[in-house]
Amino acid sequence: MQWRFALKYLTSRKSHSVINIIATVSLLAVVVPVAAMVILLSVFNGFESLVRDLYKVVDADIEITTQGGISTTDELLRHKIVESEGVEAVSAVVERQALLVYRDNRVAVRLRGVDKEYKRVVPIESYISLGNAEVELGELDRLVLGEGVTYELGMYAMAAGDVEVYSLGGGQIGSIMPTFAMRSEKLDVCGTLVIDQQHASSFALTSLRAASRLFGTEDRADMLLVKVKDGVSHSRVAEQLQEVLGKEYIVTLREDKNAGFYAIMRYEKWAVFFVSLLVLIIASLSIIGTVIMLVIEKQDERQTLLSMGADNAFIRGVFVREGLLISGLGGTIGLVIGVAITLAQQHFGFVKMPNGNFLIENYPVELQTMDLVVIFVVFVAVALVVSLVATSTMIKREER
């Protein structure tokens, strides 16, 4: 019954046109911040997804390490991992610092030696901008370089020549001539990688065979990388592997390796949310004026309802619902506009990234249902509090 009266009062003609103007302003005051909250949170979701995708190029779903390295000839160990529920593939990796030399140019990189299973574990081929990721072709060992590395080396074509790779290998380093312990390989470049700026200028791939010779790690790997099957919980597989392998091995999720970075992104996202919420609260205060004007406008109807047996609680409930209808309509319109703009950007990319960004062309956005639920619940709560305050204050004043 109260909702019917509230809807009737909202849609009926007002004796003063200024009330219509105030109601329209209140409606728009809710529309804008709600739409902005949807768009801003979607932008943060998009950038977070972009970063997660980029980390997939250098970090597997699960990483297994141990002190002293992992034997690449231990078939029992590999069998335990592969046969674990949810595991799709396993790759052995050696990763150390190396120096790349091409003509008179030198670049220090993090050189990763990978086996033939690596492409099943990490989606490396999706980020190859030129050439291919075949670092091991028969007896030939080759290099894949980040695009930034090729620029720093002054390589403008992959066929420009071999790259000399230097590394401090195994063995003892002499105190007089430490260069005796340096090992080197001449490797062809077979492809270039497009990653984020940090990795593009400091990351390179080669075969596990070449890396073992360079770093003196024959039959040993620094870590095993694990690919989890689609739809399977990464954390559950990690717990299972830790139980199977024992405390000697350290099992780490990709999210745990970059936990600090992801936490900062989440804090930034919700900081923006609360700033937008503050704007919404301030904007929602205009509903107080609308509700007060409606209470004054419907004074005769209130007297009629009181004479028919309605009490002040019933009348108060009518005007509270009136405030909820105004804010609800504005919030719904804001949600629709925010979702429409986000989906348009997601599918058509109207807003472009600044020129010179080589990773993506359009601003990344990602609409998440939970964000919409949180926004809806929050703005309904704000509207309810504002409507209660406005109605209770006005009716108590008139009761006096």
Side-chain angles (χ1 to χ4, degrees):
M1 182 66 72
Q2 290 173 316
W3 283 108
R4 291 177 63 184
F5 277 106
L7 184 60
K8 179 187 174 189
Y9 288 169
L10 181 65
T11 57
S12 62
R13 296 185 62 181
K14 314 296 189 298
S15 60
H16 302 282
S17 59
V18 68
I19 299 178
N20 291 323
I21 296 173
I22 294 174
T24 303
V25 171
S26 299
L27 191 71
L28 294 176
V30 176
V31 169
V32 175
V34 169
M37 290 170 78
V38 174
I39 296 169
L40 288 172
L41 293 186
S42 297
V43 170
F44 271 92
N45 294 335
F47 275 108
E48 184 175 355
S49 295
L50 174 65
V51 171
R52 289 181 183 276
D53 288 342
L54 289 175
Y55 273 125
K56 288 180 182 178
V57 185
V58 291
D59 294 327
D61 296 336
I62 297 175
E63 180 180 295
I64 301 173
T65 57
T66 187
Q67 290 186 350
I70 300 173
S71 172
T72 56
T73 59
D74 190 343
E75 294 299 330
L76 178 59
L77 173 64
R78 184 177 287 268
H79 179 77
K80 285 182 180 179
I81 298 172
V82 172
E83 293 301 316
S84 296
E85 184 180 355
V87 173
E88 183 173 323
V90 181
S91 174
V93 168
V94 171
E95 184 171 324
R96 308 284 177 85
Q97 289 288 340
L99 180 68
L100 305 186
V101 179
Y102 177 73
R103 296 180 181 173
D104 295 328
N105 301 313
R106 295 169 175 79
V107 179
V109 297
R110 192 74 179 172
L111 182 64
R112 174 175 288 187
V114 300
D115 60 14
K116 293 180 179 180
E117 293 292 303
Y118 185 73
K119 289 187 290 184
R120 294 184 58 199
V121 175
V122 175
I124 192 70
E125 292 183 327
S126 301
Y127 294 86
I128 295 293
S129 57
L130 188 63
N132 57 68
E134 298 295 334
V135 292
E136 185 175 336
L137 193 61
E139 297 299 317
L140 182 63
D141 299 311
R142 306 194 293 179
L143 277 173
V144 174
L145 304 178
E147 280 196 344
V149 176
T150 61
Y151 296 148
E152 291 187 40
L153 287 175
M155 298 185 69
Y156 303 104
M158 290 188 301
D162 296 336
V163 173
E164 193 82 28
V165 184
Y166 290 91
S167 172
L168 288 176
Q172 299 295 321
I173 300 178
S175 59
I176 300 177
M177 294 293 290
T179 54
F180 286 163
M182 293 187 68
R183 302 184 180 192
S184 66
E185 292 268 341
K186 275 192 176 182
L187 300 174
D188 293 325
V189 178
C190 64
T192 57
L193 270 173
V194 176
I195 331 175
D196 64 306
Q197 187 174 0
Q198 174 188 353
H199 292 97
S201 58
S202 62
F203 188 72
L205 288 176
T206 189
S207 68
L208 181 63
R209 183 172 56 196
S212 296
R213 293 195 301 266
L214 279 165
F215 302 123
T217 57
E218 286 77 5
D219 299 331
R220 306 293 293 178
D222 291 333
M223 56 187 140
L224 295 178
L225 305 183
V226 177
K227 166 68 176 175
V228 178
K229 293 179 180 177
D230 294 337
V232 179
S233 170
H234 293 189
S235 57
R236 185 167 62 83
V237 175
E239 291 173 2
Q240 178 181 319
L241 288 173
Q242 187 68 76
E243 184 178 347
V244 169
L245 299 178
K247 296 182 180 180
E248 178 186 353
Y249 294 89
I250 302 172
V251 180
T252 309
L253 289 166
R254 178 171 55 240
E255 289 76 11
D256 293 337
K257 285 189 65 178
N258 307 290
F261 182 78
Y262 291 139
I264 290 173
M265 292 198 68
R266 284 192 295 270
Y267 294 152
E268 289 178 344
K269 172 182 173 179
W270 293 110
V272 170
F273 171 79
F274 284 113
V275 171
S276 303
L277 177 60
L278 180 61
V279 174
L280 176 62
I281 292 173
I282 295 173
S284 298
L285 295 178
S286 63
I287 297 175
I288 294 178
T290 303
V291 173
I292 290 174
M293 295 297 291
L294 287 171
V295 171
I296 297 173
E297 168 76 15
K298 301 300 179 182
Q299 189 170 6
D300 293 338
E301 285 85 345
R302 287 169 49 213
Q303 294 301 324
T304 301
L305 289 174
L306 287 172
S307 65
M308 293 174 63
D311 56 10
N312 284 324
F314 180 88
I315 295 174
R316 187 182 298 112
V318 170
F319 288 103
V320 167
R321 283 161 177 77
E322 186 123 9
L324 286 175
L325 284 175
I326 295 172
S327 58
L329 181 59
T332 302
I333 295 173
L335 282 174
V336 171
I337 292 175
V339 169
I341 292 175
T342 300
L343 291 177
Q345 174 65 18
Q346 189 171 328
H347 290 92
F348 303 107
F350 295 116
V351 182
K352 307 294 183 182
M353 291 291 287
N355 293 332
N357 189 291
F358 63 91
L359 288 176
I360 51 174
E361 183 180 353
N362 309 318
Y363 259 97
V365 292
E366 181 181 313
L367 199 62
Q368 293 185 0
T369 305
M370 185 53 65
D371 289 344
L372 299 181
V373 172
V374 171
I375 293 171
F376 181 80
V377 170
V378 166
F379 97 77
V380 167
V382 170
L384 179 60
V385 171
V386 170
S387 300
L388 282 170
V389 170
T391 305
S392 299
T393 302
M394 191 62 190
I395 291 182
K396 283 181 181 178
R397 181 177 299 176
E398 293 196 356
E399 286 176 354
R400 295 173 186 172

